[in-house]
Short mmCIF file of all heavy atoms in Angstrom, two decimals:
data_model
loop_
_atom_site.label_atom_id
_atom_site.label_comp_id
_atom_site.label_asym_id
_atom_site.label_seq_id
_atom_site.Cartn_x
_atom_site.Cartn_y
_atom_site.Cartn_z
N PRO A 362 0.77 -1.31 -0.04
CA PRO A 362 0.08 0.04 0.07
C PRO A 362 0.83 1.25 0.02
O PRO A 362 1.83 1.28 0.72
CB PRO A 362 -0.74 -0.06 1.29
CG PRO A 362 0.12 -0.89 2.25
CD PRO A 362 0.81 -1.83 1.29
N TYR A 363 0.38 2.24 -0.58
CA TYR A 363 1.02 3.48 -0.71
C TYR A 363 0.17 4.66 -0.10
O TYR A 363 0.50 5.81 -0.04
CB TYR A 363 1.42 3.93 -2.16
CG TYR A 363 0.39 3.98 -3.10
CD1 TYR A 363 -0.60 5.03 -3.23
CD2 TYR A 363 0.22 2.94 -3.90
CE1 TYR A 363 -1.49 5.03 -4.23
CE2 TYR A 363 -0.84 2.86 -4.98
CZ TYR A 363 -1.73 3.85 -5.05
OH TYR A 363 -2.73 3.83 -5.94
N GLU A 364 -1.09 4.28 0.44
CA GLU A 364 -1.93 5.11 1.14
C GLU A 364 -2.43 4.60 2.36
O GLU A 364 -2.55 3.44 2.61
CB GLU A 364 -3.33 5.31 0.19
CG GLU A 364 -4.18 6.40 0.75
CD GLU A 364 -5.43 6.71 -0.26
OE1 GLU A 364 -6.35 5.91 -0.09
OE2 GLU A 364 -5.18 7.71 -0.97
N PHE A 365 -2.50 5.53 3.39
CA PHE A 365 -2.76 5.21 4.82
C PHE A 365 -3.87 6.08 5.35
O PHE A 365 -3.83 7.25 5.02
CB PHE A 365 -1.56 5.29 5.61
CG PHE A 365 -1.72 5.37 7.15
CD1 PHE A 365 -2.00 4.17 7.91
CD2 PHE A 365 -1.72 6.59 7.84
CE1 PHE A 365 -2.11 4.23 9.20
CE2 PHE A 365 -2.08 6.60 9.27
CZ PHE A 365 -2.24 5.43 9.95
N GLU A 366 -4.82 5.55 6.12
CA GLU A 366 -5.90 6.33 6.67
C GLU A 366 -5.85 6.25 8.20
O GLU A 366 -5.77 5.27 8.83
CB GLU A 366 -7.20 5.88 6.16
CG GLU A 366 -8.36 6.69 6.83
CD GLU A 366 -9.68 6.41 6.15
OE1 GLU A 366 -9.87 5.35 5.40
OE2 GLU A 366 -10.70 7.05 6.52
N TYR A 367 -5.63 7.50 8.88
CA TYR A 367 -5.62 7.54 10.34
C TYR A 367 -7.11 7.91 10.69
O TYR A 367 -7.67 8.77 10.17
CB TYR A 367 -4.71 8.71 10.69
CG TYR A 367 -4.60 8.98 12.14
CD1 TYR A 367 -3.59 8.29 12.97
CD2 TYR A 367 -5.47 9.75 12.85
CE1 TYR A 367 -3.53 8.54 14.30
CE2 TYR A 367 -5.53 9.96 14.22
CZ TYR A 367 -4.47 9.27 15.04
OH TYR A 367 -4.42 9.53 16.25
N GLU A 368 -7.48 7.19 11.78
CA GLU A 368 -8.72 7.39 12.42
C GLU A 368 -8.63 7.49 13.93
O GLU A 368 -8.07 6.58 14.56
CB GLU A 368 -9.64 6.27 11.91
CG GLU A 368 -11.10 6.73 12.39
CD GLU A 368 -12.09 5.77 11.66
OE1 GLU A 368 -11.61 4.79 11.01
OE2 GLU A 368 -13.31 6.01 11.85
N VAL A 369 -9.20 8.46 14.59
CA VAL A 369 -9.29 8.43 15.98
C VAL A 369 -9.81 7.30 16.55
O VAL A 369 -10.86 6.87 16.15
CB VAL A 369 -9.91 9.78 16.47
CG1 VAL A 369 -10.07 9.77 18.01
CG2 VAL A 369 -9.13 11.04 16.02
N LEU A 370 -9.18 6.71 17.66
CA LEU A 370 -9.77 5.47 18.19
C LEU A 370 -10.69 5.89 19.42
O LEU A 370 -10.23 6.33 20.48
CB LEU A 370 -8.53 4.75 18.76
CG LEU A 370 -8.76 3.27 19.21
CD1 LEU A 370 -9.30 2.41 18.19
CD2 LEU A 370 -7.39 2.73 19.84
N ASP A 371 -11.95 5.76 19.06
CA ASP A 371 -12.93 6.25 20.20
C ASP A 371 -14.04 5.30 20.54
O ASP A 371 -15.06 5.56 21.09
CB ASP A 371 -13.57 7.52 19.51
CG ASP A 371 -14.37 7.21 18.40
OD1 ASP A 371 -14.34 6.15 17.76
OD2 ASP A 371 -15.16 8.24 18.00
N HIS A 372 -13.72 3.89 20.32
CA HIS A 372 -14.72 2.92 20.66
C HIS A 372 -14.62 2.73 22.20
O HIS A 372 -13.64 3.22 22.91
CB HIS A 372 -14.51 1.69 19.87
CG HIS A 372 -13.20 0.95 20.22
ND1 HIS A 372 -12.76 0.36 21.36
CD2 HIS A 372 -12.19 0.71 19.33
CE1 HIS A 372 -11.69 -0.21 21.17
NE2 HIS A 372 -11.26 0.06 19.97
N GLU A 373 -15.51 1.96 22.68
CA GLU A 373 -15.73 1.80 24.32
C GLU A 373 -14.59 1.13 24.88
O GLU A 373 -14.30 1.62 26.22
CB GLU A 373 -17.01 1.10 24.57
CG GLU A 373 -17.12 -0.28 23.91
CD GLU A 373 -18.47 -0.88 24.16
OE1 GLU A 373 -19.17 -0.59 25.04
OE2 GLU A 373 -18.74 -1.87 23.24
N LEU A 374 -13.75 0.38 24.35
CA LEU A 374 -12.62 -0.28 25.03
C LEU A 374 -11.31 0.55 24.85
O LEU A 374 -10.33 0.20 25.52
CB LEU A 374 -12.54 -1.74 24.43
CG LEU A 374 -13.43 -2.76 24.90
CD1 LEU A 374 -13.18 -4.07 24.17
CD2 LEU A 374 -13.27 -3.00 26.35
N ALA A 375 -11.38 1.40 23.86
CA ALA A 375 -10.09 2.08 23.53
C ALA A 375 -9.46 2.69 24.79
O ALA A 375 -10.05 3.37 25.61
CB ALA A 375 -10.39 3.30 22.56
N GLY A 376 -8.04 2.54 24.82
CA GLY A 376 -7.33 3.18 25.85
C GLY A 376 -6.75 2.33 26.81
O GLY A 376 -6.72 0.99 26.68
N SER A 377 -6.31 2.73 27.97
CA SER A 377 -5.61 1.89 28.93
C SER A 377 -6.47 1.70 30.12
O SER A 377 -7.11 2.67 30.75
CB SER A 377 -4.33 2.62 29.32
OG SER A 377 -3.60 1.92 30.31
N TRP A 378 -6.54 0.44 30.74
CA TRP A 378 -7.21 0.09 31.94
C TRP A 378 -6.26 -0.67 32.88
O TRP A 378 -5.48 -1.41 32.36
CB TRP A 378 -8.45 -0.84 31.56
CG TRP A 378 -9.35 -0.33 30.51
CD1 TRP A 378 -9.19 -0.22 29.09
CD2 TRP A 378 -10.63 0.35 30.66
NE1 TRP A 378 -10.21 0.37 28.50
CE2 TRP A 378 -11.21 0.73 29.34
CE3 TRP A 378 -11.45 0.64 31.78
CZ2 TRP A 378 -12.32 1.40 29.31
CZ3 TRP A 378 -12.55 1.27 31.74
CH2 TRP A 378 -13.12 1.63 30.34
N GLU A 379 -6.45 -0.47 34.16
CA GLU A 379 -5.59 -1.14 35.08
C GLU A 379 -6.23 -1.55 36.29
O GLU A 379 -7.25 -0.99 36.75
CB GLU A 379 -4.30 -0.19 35.40
CG GLU A 379 -4.63 1.05 35.98
CD GLU A 379 -3.36 1.89 36.11
OE1 GLU A 379 -2.58 2.07 35.20
OE2 GLU A 379 -3.26 2.56 37.20
N PHE A 380 -5.56 -2.47 36.93
CA PHE A 380 -6.04 -2.84 38.41
C PHE A 380 -4.81 -3.29 39.13
O PHE A 380 -3.74 -3.75 38.55
CB PHE A 380 -7.08 -3.86 38.45
CG PHE A 380 -6.67 -5.33 38.13
CD1 PHE A 380 -6.46 -6.17 39.30
CD2 PHE A 380 -6.54 -5.82 36.89
CE1 PHE A 380 -6.02 -7.41 39.00
CE2 PHE A 380 -6.23 -7.15 36.74
CZ PHE A 380 -5.86 -7.91 37.83
N GLU A 381 -4.87 -3.20 40.40
CA GLU A 381 -3.73 -3.57 41.33
C GLU A 381 -3.92 -4.83 41.88
O GLU A 381 -4.95 -5.36 42.30
CB GLU A 381 -3.61 -2.49 42.52
CG GLU A 381 -3.50 -1.09 41.96
CD GLU A 381 -2.17 -0.77 41.39
OE1 GLU A 381 -1.18 -1.47 41.67
OE2 GLU A 381 -2.03 0.21 40.62
N ILE A 382 -2.91 -5.67 42.08
CA ILE A 382 -2.90 -6.98 42.79
C ILE A 382 -1.95 -6.74 44.09
O ILE A 382 -0.87 -6.29 43.99
CB ILE A 382 -2.30 -8.14 41.94
CG1 ILE A 382 -3.17 -8.32 40.78
CG2 ILE A 382 -2.10 -9.36 42.80
CD1 ILE A 382 -2.47 -9.41 39.83
N ASP A 383 -2.59 -6.98 45.21
CA ASP A 383 -1.86 -6.72 46.58
C ASP A 383 -2.02 -7.91 47.45
O ASP A 383 -1.81 -7.79 48.66
CB ASP A 383 -2.27 -5.37 47.17
CG ASP A 383 -3.68 -5.30 47.44
OD1 ASP A 383 -4.43 -6.36 47.24
OD2 ASP A 383 -4.24 -4.38 47.82
N ASN A 384 -2.47 -9.03 46.91
CA ASN A 384 -2.69 -10.15 47.88
C ASN A 384 -2.37 -11.51 46.94
O ASN A 384 -2.57 -11.43 45.74
CB ASN A 384 -4.09 -10.33 48.59
CG ASN A 384 -5.07 -10.39 47.54
OD1 ASN A 384 -5.51 -11.42 47.03
ND2 ASN A 384 -5.72 -9.22 47.30
N GLU A 385 -2.10 -12.49 47.64
CA GLU A 385 -1.68 -13.72 46.88
C GLU A 385 -2.88 -14.46 46.30
O GLU A 385 -2.68 -14.97 45.19
CB GLU A 385 -1.03 -14.73 48.03
CG GLU A 385 -0.45 -16.04 47.29
CD GLU A 385 0.51 -16.81 48.17
OE1 GLU A 385 0.57 -16.52 49.42
OE2 GLU A 385 1.01 -17.78 47.63
N SER A 386 -4.08 -14.23 46.83
CA SER A 386 -5.12 -14.89 46.20
C SER A 386 -5.50 -14.28 44.86
O SER A 386 -5.70 -15.10 43.85
CB SER A 386 -6.56 -14.70 47.13
OG SER A 386 -7.62 -15.14 46.55
N ASP A 387 -5.47 -12.95 44.81
CA ASP A 387 -5.72 -12.41 43.42
C ASP A 387 -4.52 -12.60 42.47
O ASP A 387 -4.89 -12.79 41.22
CB ASP A 387 -5.79 -10.81 43.56
CG ASP A 387 -7.06 -10.33 44.21
OD1 ASP A 387 -8.10 -11.25 44.30
OD2 ASP A 387 -7.18 -9.15 44.74
N PHE A 388 -3.44 -12.79 42.96
CA PHE A 388 -2.19 -13.08 42.06
C PHE A 388 -2.51 -14.64 41.57
O PHE A 388 -2.23 -14.67 40.27
CB PHE A 388 -0.89 -13.14 42.92
CG PHE A 388 0.30 -13.62 42.22
CD1 PHE A 388 0.83 -12.67 41.27
CD2 PHE A 388 0.73 -14.86 42.28
CE1 PHE A 388 1.95 -13.17 40.51
CE2 PHE A 388 1.91 -15.22 41.61
CZ PHE A 388 2.50 -14.40 40.59
N GLU A 389 -2.90 -15.59 42.32
CA GLU A 389 -3.02 -16.97 41.91
C GLU A 389 -4.25 -16.87 40.91
O GLU A 389 -4.24 -17.78 39.95
CB GLU A 389 -3.11 -17.80 43.15
CG GLU A 389 -1.85 -18.02 43.97
CD GLU A 389 -0.78 -18.45 43.14
OE1 GLU A 389 -1.01 -19.19 42.22
OE2 GLU A 389 0.36 -18.20 43.58
N SER A 390 -5.19 -16.15 41.08
CA SER A 390 -6.39 -16.13 40.21
C SER A 390 -6.00 -15.64 38.79
O SER A 390 -6.33 -16.20 37.76
CB SER A 390 -7.46 -15.31 40.75
OG SER A 390 -8.04 -15.84 41.96
N PHE A 391 -5.09 -14.59 38.79
CA PHE A 391 -4.63 -14.09 37.66
C PHE A 391 -3.59 -14.83 36.93
O PHE A 391 -3.78 -15.17 35.70
CB PHE A 391 -3.94 -12.63 37.95
CG PHE A 391 -3.51 -11.95 36.60
CD1 PHE A 391 -4.43 -11.17 35.91
CD2 PHE A 391 -2.24 -11.92 36.20
CE1 PHE A 391 -4.03 -10.51 34.71
CE2 PHE A 391 -1.86 -11.49 34.95
CZ PHE A 391 -2.75 -10.59 34.29
N LYS A 392 -2.81 -15.53 37.64
CA LYS A 392 -1.88 -16.43 37.15
C LYS A 392 -2.53 -17.71 36.51
O LYS A 392 -2.19 -18.32 35.53
CB LYS A 392 -0.78 -16.83 38.22
CG LYS A 392 0.29 -17.69 37.76
CD LYS A 392 1.34 -17.98 38.86
CE LYS A 392 2.43 -18.85 38.38
NZ LYS A 392 3.45 -18.99 39.41
N LYS A 393 -3.63 -18.14 37.17
CA LYS A 393 -4.45 -19.28 36.63
C LYS A 393 -4.88 -19.11 35.21
O LYS A 393 -4.86 -20.00 34.46
CB LYS A 393 -5.53 -19.55 37.62
CG LYS A 393 -6.47 -20.51 37.13
CD LYS A 393 -7.72 -20.78 38.05
CE LYS A 393 -8.59 -21.86 37.69
NZ LYS A 393 -9.80 -21.94 38.54
N VAL A 394 -5.30 -17.82 34.94
CA VAL A 394 -5.60 -17.56 33.52
C VAL A 394 -4.63 -17.36 32.62
O VAL A 394 -4.53 -18.00 31.50
CB VAL A 394 -6.52 -16.11 33.53
CG1 VAL A 394 -7.01 -15.82 32.24
CG2 VAL A 394 -7.76 -16.34 34.53
N PHE A 395 -3.63 -16.58 33.02
CA PHE A 395 -2.50 -16.17 31.88
C PHE A 395 -1.35 -16.97 31.99
O PHE A 395 -0.48 -16.90 30.95
CB PHE A 395 -2.34 -14.70 32.09
CG PHE A 395 -3.45 -13.79 31.73
CD1 PHE A 395 -4.25 -13.25 32.52
CD2 PHE A 395 -3.68 -13.69 30.39
CE1 PHE A 395 -5.34 -12.50 32.20
CE2 PHE A 395 -4.79 -12.82 29.96
CZ PHE A 395 -5.61 -12.30 30.93
N ALA A 396 -1.03 -17.57 33.08
CA ALA A 396 0.32 -18.35 33.06
C ALA A 396 0.47 -19.43 31.91
O ALA A 396 1.54 -19.64 31.31
CB ALA A 396 0.50 -19.08 34.35
N PRO A 397 -0.69 -20.05 31.42
CA PRO A 397 -0.63 -20.99 30.32
C PRO A 397 -0.08 -20.47 29.10
O PRO A 397 0.53 -21.09 28.20
CB PRO A 397 -1.94 -21.63 30.26
CG PRO A 397 -2.67 -21.40 31.59
CD PRO A 397 -2.03 -20.11 32.06
N ILE A 398 -0.11 -19.09 28.85
CA ILE A 398 0.32 -18.41 27.68
C ILE A 398 1.46 -17.53 27.87
O ILE A 398 1.80 -16.64 26.91
CB ILE A 398 -0.79 -17.66 26.75
CG1 ILE A 398 -1.52 -16.72 27.89
CG2 ILE A 398 -1.79 -18.75 26.38
CD1 ILE A 398 -2.49 -15.88 27.07
N SER A 399 1.97 -17.50 29.09
CA SER A 399 3.12 -16.60 29.39
C SER A 399 4.12 -17.44 30.28
O SER A 399 3.95 -17.66 31.52
CB SER A 399 2.76 -15.28 30.17
OG SER A 399 3.76 -14.60 30.67
N HIS A 400 5.28 -17.81 29.66
CA HIS A 400 6.31 -18.47 30.45
C HIS A 400 6.80 -17.76 31.50
O HIS A 400 7.14 -18.24 32.77
CB HIS A 400 7.39 -18.88 29.43
CG HIS A 400 8.63 -19.62 30.04
ND1 HIS A 400 8.43 -20.94 30.56
CD2 HIS A 400 9.93 -19.20 30.35
CE1 HIS A 400 9.60 -21.30 31.12
NE2 HIS A 400 10.44 -20.32 30.96
N ASP A 401 6.97 -16.41 31.34
CA ASP A 401 7.63 -15.56 32.41
C ASP A 401 6.63 -15.45 33.72
O ASP A 401 7.08 -15.42 34.83
CB ASP A 401 7.83 -14.26 31.86
CG ASP A 401 8.95 -14.19 30.90
OD1 ASP A 401 9.86 -14.99 31.01
OD2 ASP A 401 9.12 -13.25 30.20
N LEU A 402 5.40 -15.41 33.37
CA LEU A 402 4.44 -15.34 34.48
C LEU A 402 4.27 -16.58 35.19
O LEU A 402 4.19 -16.84 36.46
CB LEU A 402 2.92 -14.92 33.89
CG LEU A 402 1.90 -14.75 34.90
CD1 LEU A 402 2.21 -13.74 35.95
CD2 LEU A 402 0.60 -14.42 34.34
N ASP A 403 4.33 -17.71 34.32
CA ASP A 403 4.34 -19.00 34.95
C ASP A 403 5.51 -19.34 35.93
O ASP A 403 5.29 -20.02 36.96
CB ASP A 403 4.31 -20.05 33.79
CG ASP A 403 4.21 -21.55 34.34
OD1 ASP A 403 3.26 -21.79 35.14
OD2 ASP A 403 5.16 -22.26 33.99
N GLN A 404 6.64 -18.72 35.61
CA GLN A 404 7.87 -18.79 36.54
C GLN A 404 7.89 -17.89 37.68
O GLN A 404 8.79 -18.13 38.52
CB GLN A 404 9.07 -18.61 35.75
CG GLN A 404 9.27 -19.58 34.47
CD GLN A 404 9.38 -21.04 35.05
OE1 GLN A 404 10.36 -21.34 35.76
NE2 GLN A 404 8.52 -21.89 34.42
N LEU A 405 6.92 -16.91 37.70
CA LEU A 405 6.92 -15.91 38.76
C LEU A 405 6.04 -16.38 39.98
O LEU A 405 4.97 -16.87 39.81
CB LEU A 405 6.30 -14.63 38.28
CG LEU A 405 6.31 -13.49 39.30
CD1 LEU A 405 7.69 -13.09 39.67
CD2 LEU A 405 5.48 -12.31 38.61
N ASN A 406 6.55 -16.31 41.24
CA ASN A 406 5.93 -16.66 42.34
C ASN A 406 5.65 -15.46 43.25
O ASN A 406 6.42 -14.52 43.21
CB ASN A 406 6.80 -17.59 43.23
CG ASN A 406 7.09 -18.94 42.57
OD1 ASN A 406 6.06 -19.53 42.13
ND2 ASN A 406 8.32 -19.32 42.38
N TYR A 407 4.62 -15.43 43.97
CA TYR A 407 4.14 -14.23 44.75
C TYR A 407 5.23 -13.78 45.76
O TYR A 407 5.52 -12.57 45.99
CB TYR A 407 2.90 -14.47 45.51
CG TYR A 407 2.26 -13.35 46.04
CD1 TYR A 407 1.64 -12.29 45.24
CD2 TYR A 407 2.22 -13.12 47.55
CE1 TYR A 407 1.14 -11.10 45.84
CE2 TYR A 407 1.67 -12.06 48.04
CZ TYR A 407 1.02 -11.08 47.16
OH TYR A 407 0.53 -9.89 47.81
#
């Protein structure tokens, strides 16, 4: 392509969202979901 179209990203999910983990229970819940697709997270202990 030699042409590009820029468009403002304004849908409902657009942008940055965050949450804090400060206990082992939440950490293990998060790790349960994502450790299977992240070797680094799988190796991390609380």
Side-chain angles (χ1 to χ4, degrees):
Y363 54 80
E364 185 175 83
F365 164 81
E366 183 171 4
Y367 177 94
E368 187 172 7
V369 170
L370 190 61
D371 62 350
H372 63 66
E373 56 186 337
L374 283 175
S377 181
W378 307 79
E379 60 183 44
F380 79 93
E381 305 287 339
I382 295 177
D383 59 6
N384 61 80
E385 188 169 5
S386 177
D387 287 348
F388 175 79
E389 292 300 330
S390 294
F391 186 81
K392 188 173 178 179
K393 178 182 177 182
V394 178
F395 290 102
I398 56 172
S399 172
H400 177 73
D401 291 336
L402 181 59
D403 184 51
Q404 298 298 303
L405 182 64
N406 296 308
Y407 188 68

